[in-house]
Amino acid sequence: MKYNPQEIEKKWQDFWERNNFWRAQDFSDKPKQYILVEFPYPSGEGLHVGHVRGYTAMDIIARKRRMEGYNVLFPIGWDAFGLPAENYAIKKGIHPSKTVEKNIENYRRQIKSLGLSFDWSREINTTNPKYYKWTQWIFVQLFKKGLAYQAEIPINWCPSCKIGLAHEEVVGGKCERCGTPVVQKKKKQWMLRITKYADRLIDDLKSLDFLDEIKTQQIEWIGRSYGTEIDFRVKDSDKIIKVFTTRPDTLFGVTAVVIAPEHPLVDELIKPPYLKEAKDYIERSKHKTEFERTKLEKEKTGVFTGSYCINPVNNEEVAVWIGDYVIATYGGGAVMVVPAHDKRDYQFAKKYGLEIKEVIKGGDISREAFVEYGRLINSGEFSGMTSQEAIEKITQWLEKKGLGKKTVHYKLRDWIFSRQHYWGEPIPIVHCSKCGPVPVPEEELPVQLPYVEKYQPTTTGESPLATIEEWVNVRCPKCGGPARRETDTMPNWAGSNWYFMRYCDPQNDDRLADFDKLKYWLPVDWYDGGPEHITLHLLYSRFIYKFLYDIGVTPTSEPYHKRTLHGIVLAQDGRKMSKSLGNVVNPDDVIGKYGADTLRVYEMFMGPFDQAIAWNPESVNGVFKFLRKVWNLVIECKNNQENNLEVLKKVHQLNKKISEDIEQAKFNTAIAAFMEFVNFAQANKEKIGKKVLERMLLLLAPFAPHISEELWKVTGHQRSIFEEKWPEYNPELVKEETILLVIQVNGKVRDKIEVSADISQEEAKKLALKQEKVQNWIGNKEIKKVIFVPKKLINIVV
RNA sequence: GCCCUCGUGGCGGAAUUGGUAUACGCGCAACGCUUAGGACGUUGUUCCUGUAAAGGAUUGGAGGUUCGAAUCCUCCCGAGGGCACCA
């Protein structure tokens, strides 16, 4: 009998599916576990080996949990709205729903061929009207609570995709999807007030079991900073420029104020003879994207307005400048310039000849800005205070005089939720000339996406839906008068914000999901996904979830208890896999050659789970050899009744290691331990008994389910291995009685001796000093100190 | 520019979190075996000196803390990722 994965894998996959092995039960006496992977976007390229890595890891967790006696929910679905299907439709004239259907079929086949234990009865699809009915319903609730609103603001506009991009979607000044440089354009957009949840999105992270770097990412993105808003009155005017700073302790060092070109007071402030120069400058900045403006480190520019304002703390006159490095939407669009204590301000002052006034002691301001905290000088009554003190005291002073106040600022901005595209959920709003924007009544949801002939966005920037008159023209739900449908659609994230909730009750037509079912399953116990989603998707879905919690739809305030990430699988050349580079590894090929178990085990073995690792075809072969060794070992020793203590100990030690490594997502070292055990077993075949083999197979089952199931049967079992209990190790058998004690002299290893594990320091010292090698190193030098680390080493210092 | 992660043999990586550096796999080499296969088995494989015993060096580099550092601290170099005049 040879190990032939092709013969056994399909058989067991069918067996598990036929017998509904992975069906999750709503409400059970067993404790629940909700194990979640990010649902894939079914692209035309098919499943990526990177998907396999995350899915296999969570499949291992899910299978182990079931064996541990949990009622496990491990679902899968499709995040199927999005641009690629639409762009394909534009190119080939095939309706996106057709393309998506075909891609899903392929993905489903590929995922099934991996032997993943998904509960397919709960499969969802964001493009199904029965699903997006509830995506639209959520939008209506947001609208009713004033969290969805329209605003005419400069948005990031991709001239190629003809689509407005959220601030967060702009990568390097370019469209995240197509790479075209983004330009600024004003358009009426639907916005979601995520900023209202900024504090909770930061503060609630405390109670969650997310990797630290994920928490940091979220916190950094929201970018909360406490500071002071200071009023600078414009000279000879009653107008006030409000400036935000985190360093009010440097207020006496202000030698200019810089405002954004879009600042509301700009027109009033620019005066002859600087009028023309300033206007030209403003005009030029309009042609730059926000990215360009903030990018140009060397070319930090500005222009004097001709106006002055008054520093409230000392009544000094301060010049007002315009600089396009100041962004209108952050911090009120005005900054105070303190050249002595801010790097950027220092450069700015050097370039334009502004005064550099030292107010914090500790640096050499003739050479560079001193940006650290220190003691104040040249600061009137505040001189002598530390920066920390002065920040408090100066702010209090300003507040008392009504010239400033403590404020909080966030980097996070409200979320632009409109897309001018076809392949997305229609925004369920009707515009009435009398009533304004009116939500579509809930009983009329979903607003179905109509069939169109032309998918191309219109050149005016409107969605293709705008051209379907019979769809657009409707009666106002409120007054019955003539009205027009909103033609924008929702972004990709709309459907993926809440999909994990739908898995709890995927067929419900009356509610997003039954509350009791949500209460049973949520929060998700372990959520794994790619590093590319740890900021946006995580933040957005937490926001929506919190909102739904506030209106009583969800039972908890956070959706995910534990979140991990899996590193990207790179091509063999260390670069990202891409069609154009021709370095893509197709999981189908690997399965065809080696089988799913080899692919699974290889992806777990290739390196640390959270790090990016390059594909190595030769290592894949090594993993196959390992599985074949397991196979041959079981076939050869299955009737052996031997019960050797040494071997028993080894397999219990393996048991401990595997159990612990899985929980810490250290799959690579778990496999290594397996290999060691199998190598040992192979060299000691006569000592290997059936009991040992069975325990080994139970431990291997989550990693390589097919071969384990087959060998379980081969060893004479009728029941599936996945109906067995996860093995517990015997602590007595895991203990080591003897250890190799390392003997160091002056911190260098000089000898090793085998001693009993609980040897005392005195005994260890006596034994160590007897060793010939040790004596040679000590000679007749005096022993100053002996350090003894139980079970590890003894260090003799001479 | 700022922030995060990281840097260990020919390669992917391991190291109980301050206690034997290089586990496991790949590759390579020698020997053996065979139904010549995706072969298999045994042994060896960080570097330097040495036939060997043994000794010395070594975790990107330079310092430091410590009886003891891949691990902690400071500076520097390099790679990847994120953010970006964020005040």
Side-chain angles (χ1 to χ4, degrees):
Chain A
M1 236 173 128
K2 269 173 110 181
Y3 174 43
N4 186 347
Q6 278 70 30
E7 266 171 32
I8 59 169
E9 292 187 345
K10 185 79 175 64
K11 180 179 81 182
W12 288 113
Q13 284 160 16
D14 291 345
F15 170 82
W16 296 324
E17 190 165 343
R18 233 184 11 255
N19 294 288
N20 297 322
F21 253 66
W22 319 127
R23 281 267 170 101
Q25 297 300 318
D26 294 321
F27 314 113
S28 157
D29 295 337
K30 293 180 183 176
K32 70 94 187 179
Q33 278 280 305
Y34 188 171
I35 309 295
L36 183 67
V37 295
E38 284 169 348
F39 66 159
Y41 173 78
S43 77
E45 266 108 271
L47 201 71
H48 189 275
V49 284
H51 289 119
V52 178
R53 198 170 180 204
Y55 296 171
T56 303
M58 288 300 105
D59 187 54
I60 289 166
I61 305 296
R63 286 176 185 268
K64 176 166 182 267
R65 290 283 181 275
R66 290 193 194 95
M67 292 170 84
E68 285 169 332
Y70 288 96
N71 179 29
V72 171
L73 173 55
F74 185 46
I76 187 75
W78 318 105
D79 183 18
F81 274 128
L83 274 184
E86 178 164 320
N87 289 336
Y88 190 76
I90 291 165
K91 247 176 35 197
K92 307 261 172 154
I94 296 168
H95 194 270
S97 65
K98 291 256 162 36
T99 313
V100 161
E101 199 185 330
K102 202 179 118 235
N103 290 349
I104 286 177
E105 217 172 283
N106 187 37
Y107 264 66
R108 203 185 281 125
R109 175 190 62 77
Q110 290 188 297
I111 289 174
K112 287 191 173 179
S113 74
L114 285 162
L116 297 166
S117 62
F118 288 124
D119 178 354
W120 287 96
S121 73
R122 293 172 187 253
E123 181 180 345
I124 57 166
N125 178 341
T126 55
T127 65
N128 184 332
K130 286 190 166 186
Y131 179 92
Y132 70 67
K133 170 181 178 176
W134 299 104
T135 310
Q136 290 174 335
W137 181 86
I138 292 169
F139 184 88
V140 170
Q141 308 314 309
L142 286 160
F143 178 80
K144 285 181 177 169
K145 295 286 177 190
L147 292 172
Y149 64 97
Q150 283 178 291
E152 184 97 23
I153 49 148
I155 57 155
N156 301 305
W157 177 258
C158 174
S160 165
C161 299
K162 296 193 168 57
I163 185 173
L165 299 170
H167 170 71
E168 290 88 337
E169 290 173 292
V170 181
V171 176
K174 290 173 180 166
C175 172
E176 188 183 50
R177 295 193 162 87
C178 72
T180 308
V182 168
V183 297
Q184 302 299 108
K185 180 175 177 167
K186 277 203 170 183
K187 185 147 197 340
K188 208 169 192 184
Q189 300 285 314
W190 282 99
M191 310 281 292
L192 296 188
R193 227 180 279 281
I194 189 173
T195 48
K196 215 183 154 187
Y197 282 74
D199 281 322
R200 285 165 69 188
L201 287 168
I202 290 180
D203 298 340
D204 292 353
L205 284 171
K206 280 195 201 100
S207 62
L208 302 177
D209 184 16
F210 288 11
L211 289 179
D212 280 342
E213 57 182 296
I214 298 177
K215 286 190 183 182
T216 309
Q217 278 267 25
Q218 298 263 300
I219 292 166
E220 294 280 312
W221 187 267
I222 297 166
R224 177 165 64 188
S225 65
Y226 296 98
T228 307
E229 192 179 80
I230 302 171
D231 294 351
F232 281 74
R233 188 173 55 76
V234 179
K235 192 189 167 197
D236 303 324
S237 157
D238 55 356
K239 292 290 191 305
I240 284 169
I241 300 171
K242 286 186 183 294
V243 162
F244 175 73
T245 180
T246 54
R247 292 295 302 273
D249 55 315
T250 63
L251 188 52
F252 283 84
V254 172
T255 55
V257 162
V258 181
I259 62 173
E262 303 88 355
H263 195 280
L265 296 179
V266 157
D267 289 337
E268 277 178 63
L269 292 170
I270 50 177
K271 287 181 182 154
Y274 305 98
L275 203 61
K276 188 177 178 316
E277 202 188 333
K279 281 203 163 157
D280 285 351
Y281 182 83
I282 293 167
E283 196 49 44
R284 261 181 284 135
S285 75
K286 274 188 189 160
H287 294 288
K288 296 186 201 169
T289 65
E290 185 177 303
F291 179 78
E292 281 173 326
R293 282 167 53 178
T294 55
K295 166 92 181 169
L296 298 173
E297 169 68 19
K298 298 156 223 158
E299 274 297 301
K300 184 159 65 176
T301 61
V303 62
F304 181 46
T305 57
S307 291
Y308 291 86
C309 59
I310 309 297
N311 186 340
V313 83
N314 56 10
N315 292 318
E316 274 180 21
E317 284 184 15
V318 177
V320 180
W321 287 64
I322 299 168
D324 64 11
Y325 69 92
V326 178
I327 302 300
T329 49
Y330 186 85
V335 300
M336 60 186 212
V337 178
V338 187
H341 304 291
D342 183 284
K343 271 187 192 166
R344 292 170 307 268
D345 293 351
Y346 193 86
Q347 284 174 25
F348 193 77
K350 283 280 181 195
K351 180 164 179 179
Y352 294 107
L354 301 177
E355 192 190 343
I356 298 172
K357 210 172 132 190
E358 184 177 32
V359 291
I360 310 282
K361 226 176 141 176
D364 177 7
I365 62 150
S366 66
R367 287 174 38 211
E368 58 179 0
F370 177 68
V371 297
E372 283 156 53
Y373 282 174
R375 234 167 238 290
L376 273 67
I377 52 168
N378 306 324
S379 297
E381 59 182 284
F382 303 100
S383 294
M385 287 183 187
T386 63
S387 289
Q388 289 94 328
E389 260 180 285
I391 286 171
E392 276 302 308
K393 289 280 155 58
I394 290 178
T395 304
Q396 279 170 15
W397 186 90
L398 289 165
E399 280 180 337
K400 217 156 70 189
K401 303 244 168 182
L403 296 167
K405 62 173 189 221
K406 241 185 184 162
T407 50
V408 189
H409 278 258
Y410 304 91
K411 288 184 204 170
L412 183 71
R413 300 173 200 184
D414 276 345
W415 176 12
I416 302 168
F417 206 65
S418 295
R419 299 297 122 98
Q420 293 71 44
H421 270 279
Y422 171 70
W423 194 232
E425 302 90 344
I427 290 175
I429 292 285
V430 169
H431 297 279
C432 171
S433 52
K434 257 197 254 162
C435 312
V438 178
V440 173
E442 290 176 24
E443 59 275 13
E444 285 176 31
L445 295 178
V447 176
Q448 290 242 14
L449 187 62
Y451 190 85
V452 296
E453 295 294 329
K454 276 183 69 187
Y455 310 98
Q456 197 87 42
T458 61
T459 43
T460 58
E462 280 189 286
S463 147
L465 296 178
T467 59
I468 315 171
E469 287 301 318
E470 63 276 21
W471 185 78
V472 170
N473 293 312
V474 286
R475 298 250 151 226
C476 170
K478 220 180 200 172
C479 70
R484 287 177 66 82
R485 278 193 197 281
E486 171 65 58
T487 58
D488 277 359
T489 52
M490 299 187 202
N492 243 143
W493 280 295
S496 60
N497 275 328
W498 67 281
Y499 73 107
F500 57 93
M501 302 173 64
R502 189 66 175 172
Y503 285 138
C504 299
D505 192 11
Q507 310 302 337
N508 200 326
D509 284 332
D510 304 322
R511 315 188 63 162
L512 177 154
D514 178 72
F515 186 80
D516 289 334
K517 289 184 183 173
L518 292 175
K519 201 171 168 186
Y520 177 72
W521 287 114
L522 291 171
V524 172
D525 294 281
W526 192 335
Y527 187 20
D528 181 74
E532 68 275 23
H533 290 131
I534 60 171
T535 320
L536 298 180
H537 163 66
L538 217 51
L539 194 72
Y540 290 155
S541 64
R542 289 179 62 224
F543 158 55
I544 293 297
Y545 191 84
K546 281 179 181 302
F547 165 71
L548 292 172
Y549 173 69
D550 290 348
I551 62 167
V553 175
T554 65
T556 57
S557 66
E558 281 286 342
Y560 318 115
H561 176 252
K562 176 174 183 158
R563 163 78 196 204
T564 52
L565 58 90
H566 57 261
I568 310 162
V569 178
L570 301 167
Q572 205 180 346
D573 54 16
R575 291 184 292 184
K576 271 197 175 172
M577 287 189 192
S578 85
K579 236 180 175 176
S580 57
L581 290 169
N583 56 7
V584 177
V585 176
N586 184 343
D588 289 344
D589 297 341
V590 184
I591 292 173
K593 196 170 173 195
Y594 296 104
D597 282 336
T598 296
L599 175 59
R600 293 169 58 112
V601 174
Y602 169 66
E603 292 221 20
M604 293 299 96
F605 181 62
M606 66 196 303
F609 184 57
D610 58 355
Q611 272 171 45
I613 308 282
W615 189 265
N616 181 348
E618 276 154 349
S619 272
V620 180
N621 193 44
V623 167
F624 177 77
K625 290 199 293 198
F626 159 68
L627 288 177
R628 192 172 48 194
K629 274 188 205 175
V630 171
W631 178 274
N632 293 336
L633 186 72
V634 174
I635 298 294
E636 239 179 284
C637 304
K638 64 178 192 234
N639 297 319
N640 197 342
Q641 292 304 317
E642 185 60 45
N643 216 358
N644 179 284
L645 184 68
E646 187 195 1
V647 175
L648 213 59
K649 279 187 160 193
K650 289 261 186 214
V651 82
H652 276 263
Q653 280 160 5
L654 178 70
N655 196 157
K656 180 171 190 278
K657 174 87 176 147
I658 302 297
S659 294
E660 289 171 358
D661 277 0
I662 290 177
E663 292 312 313
Q664 293 168 54
K666 289 167 75 174
F667 305 106
N668 54 332
T669 51
I671 306 291
F674 249 117
M675 289 171 166
E676 266 177 279
F677 176 79
V678 172
N679 287 342
F680 168 83
Q682 195 175 258
N684 296 276
K685 275 179 192 158
E686 71 290 346
K687 295 184 191 166
I688 303 296
K690 196 179 168 200
K691 271 193 177 170
V692 168
L693 292 178
E694 284 174 350
R695 185 172 289 263
M696 180 190 77
L697 288 175
L698 288 166
L699 295 171
L700 184 65
F703 296 87
H706 311 89
I707 189 176
S708 306
E709 188 79 289
E710 180 71 20
L711 290 174
W712 192 248
K713 202 183 160 201
V714 166
T715 50
H717 294 273
Q718 296 300 314
R719 267 195 343 175
S720 160
I721 194 168
F722 294 104
E723 290 175 286
E724 301 294 334
K725 261 206 154 88
W726 182 254
E728 299 276 343
Y729 62 87
N730 180 345
E732 286 303 311
L733 289 173
V734 169
K735 262 196 221 155
E736 295 272 13
E737 289 117 28
T738 65
I739 52 139
L740 208 57
L741 186 77
V742 170
I743 305 171
Q744 295 184 332
V745 178
N746 285 347
K748 285 200 187 283
V749 179
R750 293 306 178 192
D751 207 351
K752 299 163 193 180
I753 50 172
E754 185 149 335
V755 296
S756 90
D758 50 5
I759 191 169
S760 71
Q761 170 159 359
E762 272 313 301
E763 252 178 288
K765 186 180 164 187
K766 243 192 263 170
L767 268 173
L769 290 175
K770 263 192 223 157
Q771 301 303 309
E772 200 188 316
K773 281 188 199 165
V774 177
Q775 280 178 356
N776 287 343
W777 282 102
I778 295 175
N780 45 18
K781 285 171 221 138
E782 186 196 348
I783 296 171
K784 279 193 195 150
K785 208 171 170 186
V786 175
I787 289 131
F788 178 67
V789 183
K791 293 182 184 177
K792 290 260 155 59
L793 59 72
I794 184 160
N795 185 13
I796 298 157
V797 186
V798 295

